[in-house]
Amino acid sequence: MRAGGKFQQAWLAESIRLREAHAGPLHDSNEVRRARAEGGSFSQRISRRAQLLGEREKLDQTLRHWWVIARWSLAALLVLAVLTGFGTALGAMGDGARPVNLLMVLAATLGLNLLTLLLWFAGLGVRSGDNGAWLGRVWLDVTQRLARGPDAALAPRALAGLLGRSGALRWSLSAVSHLAWLTALTSLLLTLLGVLSARRYTFNWETTLLSPDAFVGVTQALGWLPAKLGFTMPDEATIRISDGLHILPPDAHALWSNWLIGCVVVYGVIPRLAVFLFSGALARRGIRQAATLDTSQPGYASLRPRLMPPSEGIAPDAAAGLDSPAQIVPAPMSSGLAGGPIIVGLELATDTPWPPASLSAGIQNAGVVDTRDQRHALLDQLHAAPVPRLLVVCDSYQTPDRGTLAYIAELASYADEIRVTFTPAPATNHAGGGESRIDTWRSRLQAAGVSAQQIHVALADALAWVDGVQP
């Protein structure tokens, strides 16, 4: 089931889609932004978003863990098949102390195999179901039971859905089932060769209903195709005297051994090998088709406006003209961030002076961000040019909400170091209470992962840090 990285990406994307359909959309603004920045087609951006979310939510590890369990359970199934073939051969042949009934041995070694193979062929005309590949279904169910974890059920569901839409599921399960049967028959054949080489067996046919002529006809009909492949077959005289009432020469028992081995090879191993290769080829073709994302699936359409926006918002590339009225705040977003230290104001009061008067010339001013578009524009610029130091200036008279804290945490992912400080609004607009809000900011910032050392109450200390004057 290895179809390269594209199929693994499609499997992960399907897992993310099912999880969001069941538990609701994931917070993915950062992942969407990175997928958009890297470009590509819609399906490529979906795959990139899924990869980033999978790494964040540890879903990629879940899929790898499930696949390891699947391979081990398949190995266990094949070991069981080897033991089954070995035991069937020994049980059918016995210890050599009693004559071996040819019809009984043939029924014991090939009967169930031929019955299941005929059922599989009959199931080819059925659209639904697993096409008679019940061993493949057993393997999938056992693997699902062995996988543990909160998202363990997502892996087989996503895999079944992905392969089912391309028609590869039934052929994959068929290939697993035929592989198990082929392994059992190979083990049976090797065991037969071993016991026939190490022990002396006598063969005969015993029947009450069939006449000698009928047994001759059946034996010759079964031996016709093996004879075409080079297996030696007993002649009619040898068949007639193998009724248990005559003593056969040693050469006759050798002929019956060849006849038995030929029947197992021609009517057991070769058909199973053929249908295994056939199913495997169709499974591989279906897996290659499944590696191409079906973007019409529910959950993907809602991502198109975000991953493929009709127009990308960009920052202004020139200063306002002379005829434009002067505005102190909010300052326009800087469009030329070049990877140096940056200061940005976050939702400051409209009459807050910006930038700070003591701002050094070496510090880039990213302006004041208030709207969603401004937030996205800054994150897009930081994604293109990460910075060594980033200072976020907040209004201590505002109460921090989850969206603000999440945005600060997202900004931190694009900077080697980040600090948070506060600039109070003019006293005419606030009547005290700033200190208690700072305490709230402290507690909520630390809960969001910002350490106490990264929080400056005094703006001057924070400006000295971003300018590299103090650690």
Side-chain angles (χ1 to χ4, degrees):
M1 193 177 294
R2 183 177 179 82
K6 287 189 62 178
F7 179 77
Q8 296 172 4
Q9 292 173 6
W11 187 13
L12 181 58
E14 179 69 7
S15 301
I16 294 291
R17 188 185 72 84
L18 291 179
R19 178 172 176 177
E20 289 185 311
H22 177 72
L26 295 168
H27 177 71
D28 62 350
S29 58
N30 187 30
E31 289 74 18
V32 168
R33 184 174 299 105
R34 293 178 63 180
R36 286 170 49 189
E38 295 179 14
S41 64
F42 181 44
S43 61
Q44 289 173 332
R45 297 188 185 193
I46 291 177
S47 297
R48 181 57 177 158
R49 170 185 177 268
Q51 180 185 2
L52 295 171
L53 286 174
E55 293 172 355
R56 191 190 77 188
E57 301 293 325
K58 303 295 189 288
L59 267 178
D60 56 342
Q61 297 181 13
T62 300
L63 298 190
R64 285 195 296 268
H65 177 66
W66 187 90
W67 188 238
V68 169
I69 293 177
R71 286 185 292 182
W72 278 109
S73 60
L74 179 60
L77 177 64
L78 297 182
V79 170
L80 182 61
V82 170
L83 297 177
T84 301
F86 178 77
T88 301
L90 290 182
M93 296 298 295
D95 57 2
R98 299 179 58 185
V100 177
N101 188 318
L102 290 165
L103 290 180
M104 296 297 292
V105 170
L106 203 60
T109 54
L110 296 179
L112 184 59
N113 167 69
L114 291 176
L115 177 61
T116 55
L117 190 60
L118 291 175
L119 290 176
W120 181 81
F121 277 112
L124 289 177
V126 181
R127 287 183 173 271
S128 60
D130 49 24
N131 196 27
W134 61 274
L135 283 179
R137 178 62 64 181
V138 167
W139 164 72
L140 190 61
D141 292 342
V142 168
T143 302
Q144 186 171 357
R145 291 177 181 274
L146 291 176
R148 302 295 181 184
D151 294 317
L154 277 177
R157 284 182 55 201
L159 183 65
L162 198 62
L163 296 181
R165 289 194 293 271
S166 67
L169 180 61
R170 68 187 307 180
W171 297 115
S172 298
L173 295 180
S174 293
V176 171
S177 183
H178 293 317
L179 178 61
W181 276 109
L182 180 61
T183 303
L185 288 169
T186 304
S187 173
L188 184 147
L189 176 63
L190 294 177
T191 304
L192 284 179
L193 291 173
V195 297
L196 288 173
S197 301
R199 289 178 180 172
R200 179 182 296 276
Y201 287 92
T202 58
F203 297 94
N204 59 34
W205 54 269
E206 298 175 3
T207 179
T208 303
L209 296 177
L210 297 179
S211 66
D213 291 336
F215 188 79
V216 169
V218 170
T219 304
Q220 290 181 337
L222 291 175
W224 178 81
L225 189 55
K228 297 297 183 181
L229 297 180
F231 292 95
T232 56
M233 296 291 113
D235 55 21
E236 181 177 347
T238 302
I239 297 173
R240 289 185 179 277
I241 64 173
S242 300
D243 55 1
L245 303 177
H246 300 82
I247 298 177
L248 297 179
D251 291 346
H253 296 299
L255 290 175
W256 282 119
S257 297
N258 275 276
W259 178 84
L260 180 60
I261 295 297
C263 288
V264 171
V265 170
V266 171
Y267 303 114
V269 175
I270 291 179
R272 281 294 177 181
L273 177 61
V275 294
F276 168 68
L277 295 176
F278 175 74
S279 299
L282 292 181
R284 288 178 65 86
R285 187 181 69 175
I287 289 171
R288 285 195 296 268
Q289 294 175 354
T292 301
L293 279 181
D294 181 5
T295 56
S296 65
Q297 288 298 310
Y300 290 151
S302 61
L303 294 175
R304 183 177 289 276
R306 301 172 59 219
L307 290 174
M308 303 290 290
S311 62
E312 300 282 353
I314 58 174
D317 57 0
L322 295 177
D323 295 335
S324 300
Q327 294 183 356
I328 298 177
V329 291
M333 291 292 299
S334 171
S335 61
L337 302 182
I342 290 177
I343 182 173
V344 59
L346 185 58
E347 297 181 351
L348 301 181
T350 57
D351 54 357
T352 301
W354 190 267
S358 57
L359 186 66
S360 171
I363 302 174
Q364 299 180 92
N365 173 26
V368 177
V369 294
D370 287 312
T371 67
R372 181 176 181 178
D373 290 341
Q374 289 175 330
R375 289 189 178 196
H376 288 173
L378 177 59
L379 288 171
D380 288 339
Q381 295 180 61
L382 291 177
H383 175 77
V387 297
R389 293 186 300 279
L390 174 62
L391 177 61
V392 181
V393 182
C394 303
D395 187 354
S396 62
Y397 289 91
Q398 294 185 9
T399 302
D401 55 29
R402 288 188 299 176
T404 300
L405 296 173
Y407 184 67
I408 293 174
E410 199 167 353
L411 286 172
S413 64
Y414 296 107
D416 295 339
E417 295 182 85
I418 188 172
R419 298 289 174 93
V420 179
T421 190
F422 311 96
T423 178
T428 55
N429 288 356
H430 296 288
E435 190 67 31
S436 62
R437 298 278 175 83
I438 289 180
D439 291 340
T440 303
W441 273 100
R442 282 181 178 276
S443 60
R444 295 190 181 181
L445 283 169
Q446 292 180 29
V450 181
S451 66
Q453 292 75 18
Q454 294 175 289
I455 303 173
H456 293 274
V457 176
L459 177 60
D461 293 340
L463 291 175
W465 169 83
V466 76
D467 197 24
V469 176
Q470 68 178 31

